[in-house]
Amino acid sequence: MSEATEASLVASREGAAGAIQMNRPKALNALNQDMIRGFAAAIRDWRHDPTVKLVLLEGAGGRAFCAGGDVRAVRASAVAGDRAAVEAFFSEEYAVNAGIADFGKPWVSLIDGVCMGGGIGVSVHGTHRIVTNHAMFAMPETAIALFPDVGTTFVLPRLPGALGMWLALTGERLNGADALHAGLATHFTTREALPALRAALIAGDMGATLQLCGPAPEASFAPQRAAIDRCFGAGSIPAIIAALEAEDTDWAREQLGILHHASPTSLFVTHELLTRGAKRDLAGCLAMELALTRVVVNDHPDFREGVRAVLVDKDHKPQWQPASIAAIDKAAIRAMFKA
Ligand code: QUE
């Protein structure tokens, strides 16, 4: 028999666990449509299977948990005018996010390496997000003119203070300890403890699993904590910019540099989404996000330009339209929410 082609998502039974491995290591396990369908099938098959006590989710290759969605493929669909393909990708991805939230059994993600965007979506709605000292979390979508999605418009406004708004607008990277202190992760361990932790999960022993977790170092953002709330809680994009300018610190100047590099449209859309998300349940947030993808991905020039600049040509010199925060027409942003 010939060797089977490596599946991009490997779902298998291991003891008491349903084990899912995201397996596109060269693409940092970024989620493509096949992988999303694999998640949907595993959720469907294991939800009511009493022999599956928990789900264990991990990334292959040692470098990444999951870098996000396969936004290169989504861009290609948008450029080709294939709205149905764009709709299929996001609607099925967000259904998986909702399915994880109401799975009803432990959904345990072992996060060792990169975890961005869609990777946060397949972990944060689960019951346990165990991070190592090598984890790297980010919601970097404003850099490619997308917005925080996969249910993070529900999660981010519920983080302490203005941490969620800060992470959503700047795409700031968090290490494992930071993610724990911010509330994106639930437990901290070391890379060295992962084999024993995995064995405990396969034995179905959550108690033994969590005993392999321990205290995390202090958050790297702790010194900035008050300034984050003061600036990113200011209430609007122009007010956030003004607050950062008033700080007159190296940290604030760095934040301003990041915001002025991001898609201006994305910043306003993201601020509005998180503000609305604070008052909605997860299903309402996912529906709001899906409606926005139709406009942002298919109809607005910035998304295809952002993916081009960051992931296709990698020149990191996107030409945004409009090009500056000052040039944004608030009515045009409001219209995107009504489309
Ligand atoms: C913003 C994003 C993504 C990103 C970079 C951003 C994203 C994503 C990837 C990514 C990274 C490496 C890969 C890959 C995809 O990068 O969603 O296939 O090999 O998936 O600034 O939203």
Side-chain angles (χ1 to χ4, degrees):
M1 226 169 87
S2 66
E3 211 171 284
T5 318
E6 278 287 299
S8 55
L9 195 86
V10 181
S12 58
R13 288 301 311 275
E14 291 195 51
I20 301 178
Q21 188 185 50
M22 296 174 281
N23 187 33
R24 286 178 75 218
K26 285 181 199 140
L28 300 179
N29 302 321
L31 300 175
N32 62 24
Q33 188 88 59
D34 277 352
M35 294 164 78
I36 289 164
R37 290 186 179 154
F39 270 105
I43 291 167
R44 185 193 63 223
D45 293 347
W46 291 343
R47 186 192 294 277
H48 300 296
D49 180 341
T51 69
V52 174
K53 304 295 181 200
L54 57 91
V55 167
L56 187 178
L57 174 61
E58 58 197 343
R63 276 204 306 150
F65 177 73
C66 170
D70 186 359
V71 286
R72 285 188 197 81
V74 173
R75 176 181 188 274
S77 300
V79 169
D82 189 348
R83 300 181 84 94
V86 172
E87 182 76 13
F89 182 82
F90 289 108
S91 63
E92 292 179 31
E93 183 181 26
Y94 299 172
V96 164
N97 303 139
I100 293 168
D102 69 7
F103 186 63
K105 293 185 260 196
W107 181 282
V108 186
S109 298
L110 304 185
I111 304 171
D112 181 40
V114 176
C115 180
M116 308 196 299
I120 295 183
V122 292
S123 55
V124 77
H125 306 297
T127 53
H128 298 74
R129 291 89 70 186
I130 303 176
V131 296
T132 75
N133 41 332
H134 296 275
M136 194 285 276
F137 276 68
M139 288 303 293
E141 287 86 354
T142 59
I144 58 165
L146 198 55
F147 51 81
D149 65 337
V150 295
T152 62
T153 63
F154 176 79
V155 173
L156 293 169
R158 288 164 176 80
L159 301 187
L163 280 180
M165 190 64 82
W166 171 57
L167 297 173
L169 293 175
T170 65
E172 183 77 27
R173 295 172 167 210
L174 300 184
N175 64 36
D178 295 341
L180 185 82
H181 292 297
L184 291 171
T186 59
H187 298 81
F188 187 82
T189 192
T190 59
R191 177 174 279 178
E192 294 67 38
L194 285 178
L197 211 144
R198 210 175 174 283
L201 284 168
I202 287 163
D205 191 340
M206 282 305 300
T209 301
L210 300 184
Q211 278 201 326
L212 291 159
C213 300
E218 196 189 1
S220 63
F221 56 73
Q224 261 51 270
R225 194 63 189 70
I228 289 168
D229 288 357
R230 204 160 49 233
C231 298
F232 287 88
S236 71
I237 295 297
I240 290 168
I241 297 290
L244 285 166
E245 286 171 347
E247 290 283 311
D248 196 24
T249 62
D250 286 342
W251 174 82
R253 278 185 282 277
E254 189 192 327
Q255 306 305 302
L256 284 165
I258 294 166
L259 294 179
H260 286 303
H261 190 70
S263 158
T265 300
S266 265
L267 293 176
F268 279 77
V269 166
T270 296
H271 193 278
E272 186 64 27
L273 278 167
L274 263 63
T275 303
R276 293 185 185 211
K279 299 182 213 94
R280 298 185 181 210
D281 62 10
L282 176 62
C285 286
L286 288 167
M288 174 175 70
E289 294 169 10
L290 184 61
L292 255 294
T293 63
R294 294 175 189 135
V295 186
V296 168
V297 173
N298 296 310
D299 302 332
H300 199 285
D302 279 7
F303 171 73
R304 54 192 75 181
E305 172 63 2
V307 177
R308 183 205 65 73
V310 174
L311 292 168
V312 179
D313 298 339
K314 302 185 184 174
D315 58 34
H316 295 277
K317 290 194 164 58
Q319 301 294 314
W320 304 128
Q321 303 175 44
S324 71
I325 289 169
I328 289 286
D329 171 10
K330 284 188 202 129
I333 302 294
R334 270 197 302 277
M336 294 173 79
F337 282 77
K338 283 186 202 123

